[in-house]
Amino acid sequence: MTEESRPHHEPIPEWDEIADEILEGCGYDPDLGKRMAEDAIKIANGELTEQEFHERYHEEVKAEFGTDDRPTKPEGFDD
Amino acid sequence: MGQAWNRVLTVGGDHVDTPEGSYPEDGDGGTLEMSYQPTACQHCENAPCVKVCPVNATFTREDGIVEIDYDKCIGCRYCMAACPYNARVFNWEDPQHVPEEGTGDVEERPQGVVEKCTFCSHRVEEGLDPSCVVNCPADARIFGDFDDENSTVSKYVAEYDTHQLLDDKGTDPKTYYIQGEMSPGRPWKGKELEEELDEEPTAEEPADVTGDESVSGAAANPTGGDD
């Protein structure tokens, strides 16, 4: 797929509000959840690699949840 | 109450179950129209919900079904925010079965977890179709194996105009929506509950996909893989 033909992520207009409602009072960092959710879509359409995604959020996920067991962990990644 | 794993969205008038268009006058000229879209978990090949789960409770099985380990789920709801299909629901309260005896051998989900359609993996493992396929009165739903080019579902997708929801997201759902003139899809396995099986069910002959009846259907690939 060429750069020109690659579909870039365009968030659903209402998504921001919907995500806020979903994550309100979830007991964990809602901002982290929103950022990860949006970037997970970017992995799907090729704008972000799984490795970039994992590294970008690893420290925050570990701090928030005490663990990071996401399946995006690259081979040889050092916790 | 239990949770709805499958929502039927309507496209028509201003309200649910109101059509768009106009009624016929003097027996002629009506333009009433309404479309239905059953929307459940799309079991994406590139599932965002799986990637954001910090405890790996949401995972993709080897056969491609996206499932949730309720023992691991901590109810953070990150997966719900990541799902572009709004296919997941959160158990705010203790689930109740209606009727009390339940509606099959679905694993009980506790309060405080996220749940969604599993393609009835407990039935698929027994060689049965998902319950939605068996119970659809219009036979509009087809379930099968895309890795088998001779499966009914493969024939339908090869033959007819199909689309995936929000295909620009790159999630590559394993659920396809089929349009066009066709014969109704047929469940290919018995309608028994899995606990009622006394022997392995036998597959029916694949449906003839060259008919001329009209039906919309959702076809799904439970086996995932590279199709």
Side-chain angles (χ1 to χ4, degrees), chain B residues 6 38 40-45 63-66 117-120 124 128-130 132-133 140-148 151-158 162-164 172-178 185 188 216-225 227:
Chain B
N6 185 35
C41 174
Q42 305 289 296
H43 295 274
C44 304
E45 182 71 27
D63 62 6
I65 294 175
V66 176
C117 160
T118 63
F119 269 160
C120 284
V124 173
L128 298 169
D129 274 330
C132 61
V133 175
R141 304 180 73 97
I142 310 164
F143 184 81
D145 182 359
F146 277 161
D147 289 338
D148 176 4
S151 66
T152 301
V153 69
S154 294
K155 288 182 178 178
Y156 268 86
V157 171
T162 65
H163 72 277
Q164 298 160 294
D172 193 11
K174 298 189 190 77
T175 300
Y176 287 76
Y177 292 81
I178 308 172
W188 58 284
S216 296
N221 170 22
T223 60
D227 47 83

Side-chain angles (χ1 to χ4, degrees), chain B residues 55-83:
Chain B
V55 294
N56 201 26
T58 287
F59 62 99
T60 305
R61 295 166 29 131
E62 284 191 10
D63 62 6
I65 294 175
V66 176
E67 212 162 74
I68 300 170
D69 183 335
Y70 301 118
D71 291 329
K72 287 185 177 179
C73 180
I74 57 175
C76 69
R77 309 204 285 269
Y78 281 19
C79 56
M80 291 176 65
C83 174

